[in-house]
C-alpha cells in the first residue's frame, strides 16, 4: 500500500503526524495506519512515547530521520532527558527504537499512572486557530504536553484539555484537536497570582525542551551552579552551608500560588520543598526535570543566565596549567586588576574580530590561557568555544584502574590531572564501572576508617568509649553505621575500675532468708482447689503463693523445693 506522508510542522508530536497521515490518505481506521507504518496494529496509537520507531523509519525510508532524530524531534523526551547523564539518553532512545516503551517511564523516573492513549492531551485555542490558518488543520504541540506547562508559552492562554474517545478494545483513534469526536474541556480558572509564575515556568519549560545545556551534563557542575545561585540569593552561610530553613521558607512563599497544582505540589508544597536541596546535597540522584526548572527559575530567573553560570562552572572544573586553582566561588568584577582587565578587553576584542585563536592571542598578551578563558566567559565578553578535552588511552586506562580500586573521585582527579567531570564521563562510558567503583569504594573506605580507628587507639591508649564516640577523628561513627561487627570486636575494654567506683555495690542475695520466707508461705496455701486444667506440679504451688519480695525459683530454694516434692507425692497418693 502506497502512503503519502505529510510534512512535519514546527513542534508537532509524532501522534499528530500519524493522525494527519490518516486523514491525508483517507484511511478510516487508525489500526490500518499502524499496520502499514509499523508491524502491529497498536504501535501508532500511543500519544506520549511511541515504540517501534526503527520499523517506522525503515518503512518511511528515513524521510523524517533515523529513530533517534525522530524521537528527539517529535516527542517530549528531550525535556525529560535534559538534566540526565548520557547513559540515560542512550537507554531511553534505545527503548523508543525497540518494540516496547513501557520501561521508559521507569528510566525517566516518571510516576506510573495513566499513559499511552489514556492521558489527556493539551492544546491552546490561539495556537489551534493559527494552525488552521497556516496549515489548514490543527495539531497537538509538544510543548503543550509538558507537565510543567499549564499556559501556552506563546500566547499565555491557559491550556485546554481533551480526552480521546476509546473504542471497545480500549484503544483510541488518531485524533486532532479540532475533531468533534474528542471530549474537550476548559482548564480550571487559574488564580491571578499563579499566572505570572506559570507563564515563566512555561517559557522555561519550552526552552528546556528545545535547547541543550551550555556544556555537557555533569552532576558536579550542576551542583556548583546551584550553589552559586544560592550564594547570590544570600542562602549560603559564610562557611558555605546552605541556610536550609530560609531556603524552604522563601521557596514555599514564592510558589505558594501554584503549590496545589499537579506536578508542582510535590516540589514546592511545604512538605516537599526541602527535597530540592538534594540537588546540591546528592547531585547524582536522578531528579525530575520539574525540580531543576524550579531551581533555575528561583535562583536565576532565566535560562540564559543559568546556562552562562553552568558553562563557567564547568570551565572551573578544568585543571589550570600552572597548577593553581582560582577560587571556586565566582569572583566579582571588582576583583580584577586594572591591568588584567585591559588585557582581557583587548583579547576579547581581537578574538571577536577573528585576529587569531584564543591560545595565540593569550600568548601575545602574556595572559594565562585558562585564567583568560574563565574571566572572558564569566564576563560574557566572548562565547567560550566548547572543546572536549582529549584523553589519551594511557590516562584513561589509569583512571579506570584507580576507579576499580575504589579510590575516591577527588584522589583520582588529583593523581591523573583530569577534572571530575572528565572522570564522570569515563565512569559513565564504561559499562558497570560505576557499580564496580561503588563496591570497591565501600571496601576502600572501610579500610581507611578501620586504619583511622586503630591509629586513634594507638595515639590515645587510655581513651574511653564515649570519647571515641564524640571524636571526629576516631572513625567511630562511620564504623558504627557501616561496620558494627568489626567495631565491636576492636573496642577498648570498658574501664571496670571507674565503674566500680561510681556504681553502688549490689548487696548480696540472702538465699537462706528467701528460702525460709518461701517455705512459710507454701505451708499456708490451699492445694485443694485445683482447676480442671491444672496438674499437680511445682508450678501449681507457685501460682498459689502470695506476693513475695522476690520471684521464687525453687532450684535456688532447697528447703522449699523439698517441701513441694513431698506435697506432690502426698497429693498423688490421695
Ligand atoms: Zn498558543
Amino acid at each position: 500500500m502506497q502512503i503519502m506522508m505529510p510534512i512535519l510542522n514546527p513542534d508537532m508530536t509524532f501522534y499528530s503526524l500519524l493522525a494527519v497521515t490518516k486523514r491525508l490518505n483517507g484511511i478510516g481506521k487508525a489500526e490500518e495506519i499502524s499496520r502499514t507504518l509499523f508491524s502491529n496494529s497498536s504501535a501508532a496509537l500511543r500519544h506520549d512515547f511511541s515504540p517501534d520507531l526503527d520499523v517506522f523509519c525503515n518503512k518511511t525510508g528515513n524521510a523524517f530521520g533515523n529513530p533517534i532524530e525522530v524521537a528527539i524531534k517529535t516527542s517530549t523526551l528531550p525535556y525529560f532527558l535534559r538534566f540526565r547523564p548520557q547513559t540515560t539518553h542512550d537507554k531511553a532512545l534505545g527503548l523508543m527504537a525497540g518494540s516496547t516503551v513501557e520501561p521508559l517511564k521507569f528510566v525517566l523516573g516518571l510516576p506510573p499512572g495513566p499513559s499511552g492513549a489514556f492521558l489527556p492531551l493539551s492544546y491552546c485555542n490561539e495556537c489551534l486557530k493559527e494552525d488552521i490558518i497556516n496549515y489548514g488543520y490543527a495539531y497537538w504541540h509538544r510543548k503543550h504536553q509538558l507537565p510543567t506547562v499549564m499556559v501556552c508559552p506563546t500566547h499565555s492562554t491557559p491550556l485546554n484539555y481533551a480526552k480521546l474517545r476509546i473504542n471497545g478494545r480500549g484503544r483510541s483513534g488518531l485524533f486532532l484537536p479540532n475533531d468533534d469526536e474528542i471530549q474537550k474541556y476548559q482548564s480550571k480558572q487559574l488564580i491571578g497570582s499563579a499566572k505570572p509564575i506559570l507563564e515563566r515556568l512555561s517559557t522555561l519549560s519550552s526552552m528546556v525542551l528545545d535547547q541543550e545545556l551550555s556544556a555537557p551534563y555533569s552532576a558536579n557542575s550542576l551542583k556548583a551552579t546551584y550553589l552559586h545561585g544560592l550564594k547570590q540569593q544570600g542562602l549560603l552561610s559564610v562557611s558555605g552551608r546552605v541556610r536550609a530553613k530560609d531556603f524552604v521558607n522563601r521557596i514555599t512563599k514564592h510558589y505558594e500560588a501554584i503549590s496545589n497544582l499537579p506536578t508542582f505540589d510535590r516540589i514546592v508544597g511545604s512538605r516537599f520543598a526541602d527535597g530540592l536541596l538534594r540537588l546540591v546535597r546528592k547531585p547524582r540522584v536522578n531528579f525530575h526535570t520539574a525540580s531543576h526548572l524550579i531551581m533555575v527559575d528561583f535562583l536565576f530567573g532565566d535560562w540564559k543566565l543559568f546556562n552562562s553560570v553552568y558553562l563557567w562552572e564547568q570551565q572551573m572544573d578544568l585543571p589550570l596549567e600552572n597548577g593553581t586553582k582560582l577560587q571556586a566561588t565566582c569572583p566579582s568584577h571588582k576583583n580584577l586588576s586594572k591591568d588584567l582587565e585591559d588585557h582581557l578587553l583587548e583579547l576579547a576584542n581581537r578574538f571577536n574580530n577573528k585576529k587569531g585563536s584564543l591560545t595565540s592571542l593569550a600568548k601575545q598578551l602574556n595572559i594565562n590561557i585558562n585564567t583568560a578563558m574563565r574571566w572572558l566567559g564569566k564576563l560574557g565578553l566572548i562565547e567560550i568555544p566548547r572543546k572536549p578535552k582529549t584523553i589519551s588511552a594511557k590516562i584513561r586506562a589509569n583512571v579506570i584502574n584507580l576507579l576499580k580500586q575504589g579510590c575516591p573521585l577527588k584522589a583520582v582527579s588529583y593523581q591523573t590531572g583530569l577534572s571530575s567531570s572528565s572522570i564522570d564521563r569515563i565512569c559513565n562510558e564504561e559499562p558497570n564501572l560505576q557499580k564496580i567503583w561503588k563496591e570497591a569504594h565501600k571496601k576502600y573506605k572501610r579500610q581507611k576508617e578501620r586504619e583511622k580507628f586503630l591509629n586513634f587507639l594507638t595515639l590515645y591508649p587510655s581513651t574511653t568509649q564515649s570519647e571515641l564516640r564524640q571524636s571526629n577523628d576516631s572513625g567511630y561513627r562511620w564504623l558504627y553505621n557501616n561496620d558494627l561487627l568489626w567495631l565491636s570486636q576492636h573496642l577498648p575494654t570498658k574501664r571496670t575500675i571507674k565503674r566500680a567506683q561510681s556504681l553502688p555495690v549490689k548487696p548480696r542475695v540472702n538465699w537462706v532468708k528467701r528460702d525460709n520466707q518461701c517455705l512459710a508461705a507454701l505451708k499456708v496455701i490451699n492445694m485443694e482447689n485445683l482447676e480442671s486444667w491444672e496438674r499437680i506440679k511445682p508450678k501449681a504451688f507457685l501460682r498459689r503463693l502470695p506476693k513475695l519480695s522476690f520471684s521464687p525459683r525453687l532450684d535456688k530454694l532447697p528447703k522449699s523445693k523439698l517441701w513441694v516434692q513431698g506435697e506432690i507425692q502426698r497429693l498423688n497418693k490421695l
Side-chain angles (χ1 to χ4, degrees):
M1 182 181 171
Q2 279 288 332
I3 281 230
M4 235 191 319
M5 295 296 295
I7 287 171
L8 186 72
N9 292 335
D11 201 41
M12 193 182 205
T13 66
F14 190 69
Y15 178 86
S16 307
L17 181 76
L18 297 177
V20 179
T21 307
K22 174 173 167 261
R23 201 151 307 196
L24 202 61
N25 292 275
I27 297 171
K29 281 195 170 160
E31 279 87 346
E32 210 178 315
I33 283 278
S34 198
R35 271 192 299 270
T36 313
L37 294 176
F38 299 85
S39 17
N40 63 69
S41 60
S42 67
L45 303 181
R46 288 184 71 108
H47 59 63
D48 50 359
F49 302 111
S50 304
D52 281 328
L53 286 182
D54 52 354
V55 182
F56 171 83
C57 291
N58 208 347
K59 295 209 175 187
T60 53
N62 287 324
F64 299 94
N66 63 34
I68 291 179
E69 287 162 341
V70 173
I72 287 174
K73 271 190 292 189
T74 67
S75 80
T76 53
L77 198 60
Y79 166 91
F80 291 104
L81 290 177
R82 193 61 73 216
F83 299 93
R84 296 298 179 92
Q86 190 58 41
T87 43
T88 314
H89 287 234
D90 298 343
K91 233 185 260 168
L93 291 166
L95 281 169
M96 279 188 71
S99 60
T100 170
V101 291
E102 290 306 330
L104 187 59
K105 285 201 160 192
F106 179 72
V107 170
L108 297 178
L110 296 179
S115 66
F118 301 101
L119 207 73
L121 283 165
S122 314
Y123 67 98
C124 154
N125 254 338
E126 300 304 311
C127 287
L128 182 142
K129 285 182 211 157
E130 282 182 17
D131 289 345
I132 292 177
I133 292 169
N134 292 331
Y135 308 105
Y137 55 85
Y139 58 88
W140 310 103
H141 288 245
R142 286 189 310 159
K143 61 187 174 213
H144 295 153
Q145 317 309 325
L146 302 174
T148 45
V149 169
M150 288 177 196
V151 299
C152 174
T154 316
H155 300 101
S156 298
T157 44
L159 296 179
N160 292 328
Y161 300 92
K163 239 186 195 159
L164 304 186
R165 189 182 291 169
I166 288 163
N167 72 10
R169 282 161 50 212
R171 287 178 187 160
S172 80
L174 284 164
F175 297 113
L176 292 172
N178 208 27
D179 289 353
D180 291 327
E181 293 97 318
I182 57 176
Q183 197 187 336
K184 295 174 201 173
Y185 46 100
Q186 294 263 311
S187 64
K188 273 191 224 149
Q189 206 59 44
L190 296 168
I191 50 166
S193 49
K195 206 166 173 235
I197 304 175
L198 291 175
E199 281 174 22
R200 266 198 340 257
L201 291 171
S202 290
T203 308
L204 199 55
S205 304
S206 70
M207 282 172 159
V208 168
L209 176 66
D210 286 326
Q211 296 178 19
E212 297 213 41
L213 293 175
S214 54
Y217 169 86
S218 147
N220 282 338
S221 303
L222 272 175
K223 174 184 165 174
T225 306
Y226 290 140
L227 281 173
H228 172 86
L230 287 165
K231 192 171 183 216
Q232 298 297 69
Q233 298 288 340
L235 287 165
L236 285 193
S237 70
V238 188
S239 60
R241 281 178 156 249
V242 181
R243 296 184 201 276
K245 220 174 140 189
D246 284 358
F247 173 83
V248 171
N249 282 343
R250 276 174 55 183
I251 210 150
T252 44
K253 215 168 157 195
H254 192 79
Y255 293 105
E256 197 177 357
I258 62 161
S259 63
N260 288 322
L261 298 176
T263 307
F264 298 119
D265 54 0
R266 296 194 148 261
I267 301 172
V268 293
S270 55
R271 271 173 47 225
F272 299 96
D274 66 341
L276 278 171
L277 287 176
R278 300 205 313 154
L279 287 164
V280 291
R281 288 175 178 157
K282 287 188 164 34
R284 270 162 220 282
V285 172
N286 284 329
F287 293 92
H288 193 292
T289 298
S291 297
H292 287 282
L293 274 176
I294 290 286
M295 279 299 254
V296 171
D297 178 61
F298 178 68
L299 297 177
F300 303 95
D302 177 53
W303 181 241
K304 207 175 156 200
L305 177 61
F306 161 78
N307 266 299
S308 62
V309 176
Y310 181 71
L311 177 63
W312 156 264
E313 290 298 350
Q314 199 142 114
Q315 294 296 337
M316 290 300 299
D317 237 351
L318 295 170
L320 271 176
E321 270 167 2
N322 56 14
T324 57
K325 210 167 174 179
L326 283 176
Q327 277 244 302
T329 46
C330 148
S332 74
H333 201 156
K334 290 173 210 138
N335 293 353
L336 267 180
S337 73
K338 187 80 189 92
D339 217 345
L340 182 58
E341 191 178 0
D342 289 342
H343 276 84
L344 286 169
L345 285 170
E346 179 60 22
L347 175 60
N349 195 17
R350 289 190 198 177
F351 180 74
N352 289 333
N353 288 317
K354 309 213 173 354
K355 292 274 166 65
S357 73
L358 266 186
T359 322
S360 64
L361 291 171
K363 228 178 232 166
Q364 286 169 25
L365 292 164
N366 202 20
I367 318 175
N368 176 297
I369 177 66
N370 285 309
T371 314
M373 272 176 69
R374 280 165 198 177
W375 279 106
L376 292 170
K378 187 63 193 168
L379 300 174
L381 290 172
I382 57 157
E383 291 272 331
I384 294 176
R386 225 189 291 167
K387 195 168 97 187
K389 213 173 140 61
T390 43
I391 298 165
S392 75
K394 203 173 151 195
I395 294 179
R396 195 186 159 86
N398 191 18
V399 169
I400 293 173
N401 185 28
L402 289 168
L403 288 173
K404 281 184 175 166
Q405 287 170 30
C407 285
L409 297 179
K410 264 188 193 161
V412 180
S413 175
Y414 182 78
Q415 284 190 38
T416 58
L418 288 184
S419 68
S420 51
S421 59
S422 304
I423 292 163
D424 232 39
R425 227 171 296 143
I426 295 176
C427 209
N428 287 329
E429 280 162 10
E430 278 296 303
N432 289 329
L433 186 55
Q434 186 98 248
K435 209 172 139 196
I436 295 169
W437 176 80
K438 263 187 192 159
E439 282 297 309
H441 181 64
K442 216 170 159 186
K443 278 189 197 152
Y444 176 95
K445 176 93 178 149
R446 189 173 64 203
Q447 193 51 37
K448 291 280 162 201
E449 293 295 319
R450 285 180 180 180
E451 279 169 19
K452 199 159 125 184
F453 183 80
L454 294 175
N455 284 343
F456 192 87
L457 284 187
T458 319
L459 225 59
Y460 307 102
S462 61
T463 188
T464 64
Q465 287 196 17
S466 85
E467 282 162 359
L468 278 168
R469 242 195 318 273
Q470 278 154 26
S471 168
N472 283 328
D473 307 319
S474 68
Y476 179 95
R477 271 177 238 163
W478 190 93
L479 293 166
Y480 183 85
N481 289 325
N482 299 285
D483 199 11
L484 189 58
L485 187 67
W486 184 91
L487 177 68
S488 61
Q489 286 161 353
H490 292 81
L491 280 175
T493 44
K494 287 190 176 172
R495 322 251 119 211
T496 42
I497 317 144
K498 235 182 166 179
R499 290 199 81 180
Q501 283 168 346
S502 56
L503 288 175
V505 180
K506 266 192 184 169
R508 287 180 66 96
V509 175
N510 187 340
W511 290 109
V512 179
K513 193 179 161 197
R514 283 189 179 184
D515 202 0
N516 289 336
Q517 275 176 4
C518 185
L519 184 62
L522 280 168
K523 283 181 177 169
V524 295
I525 60 170
N526 177 11
M527 287 302 287
E528 310 293 335
N529 59 350
L530 280 188
E531 300 285 345
S532 60
W533 50 267
E534 278 188 307
R535 301 278 150 80
I536 308 170
K537 288 270 165 76
K539 273 192 181 159
F541 288 83
L542 296 180
R543 267 196 289 272
R544 283 168 176 72
L545 281 176
K547 196 164 166 54
L548 300 170
S549 61
F550 54 91
S551 53
R553 287 168 51 194
L554 289 179
D555 54 335
K556 295 259 186 190
L557 310 167
K559 280 193 271 182
S560 303
K561 191 178 175 182
L562 203 68
W563 190 85
V564 167
Q565 281 168 351
E567 278 298 285
I568 289 173
Q569 271 181 15
R570 187 181 67 83
L571 288 167
N572 279 333
K573 274 180 202 159
L574 287 175

